[in-house]
Amino acid sequence: MPFLYYRKLDQVLNLSGNRIKFKRIKDQNKKNLPNDGWSSNHDWTVWNWLRDHKNNNIAWIWKSIKKHKEKKADISDAGMIYADGNPSKFQKFLGDHI
């Protein structure tokens, strides 16, 4: 069944009586700056540490992001949990284990 109504974010917040807590985050897709965001477009080199990681659970992340339908190195949805991240911050965050 298709949706009958569409609302803009500001309308939804207003309709909720401002009970919805919302924080707008900055764009996590700095495709032309592969070391500065969660998306490096088609430059996989900044993520090679995932591919080569000795912990299979971390190396699995590489296999997972390789499944992107457009073959891009893009995990920008991670920015909804870890805002202002990048490959080196993520590497430091994970360390040797999950």
Side-chain angles (χ1 to χ4, degrees), residues 8-84:
K8 293 182 179 181
L9 179 60
D10 292 339
Q11 293 171 315
V12 171
L13 295 174
N14 188 43
L15 288 169
S16 78
N18 292 312
R19 290 184 305 256
I20 295 174
K21 302 299 179 203
F22 173 79
K23 180 178 180 182
R24 190 174 305 275
I25 63 173
K26 72 179 191 170
D27 185 5
Q28 304 292 311
N29 295 304
K30 296 185 176 183
K31 294 176 174 80
N32 295 325
L33 302 168
N35 292 299
D36 288 346
W38 289 112
S39 176
S40 58
N41 208 7
H42 293 286
D43 180 358
W44 287 87
T45 61
V46 296
W47 300 106
N48 283 349
W49 62 272
L50 283 170
R51 180 196 64 199
D52 302 334
H53 206 283
K54 63 184 177 184
N55 183 315
N56 289 335
N57 292 320
I58 293 175
W60 173 86
I61 298 170
W62 167 268
K63 293 174 187 171
S64 183
I65 62 176
K66 288 295 280 188
K67 294 178 182 180
H68 190 284
K69 67 180 178 178
E70 296 174 17
K71 307 295 183 203
K72 293 180 181 179
D74 182 349
I75 61 169
S76 57
D77 286 351
M80 291 186 275
I81 297 170
Y82 189 129
D84 200 27

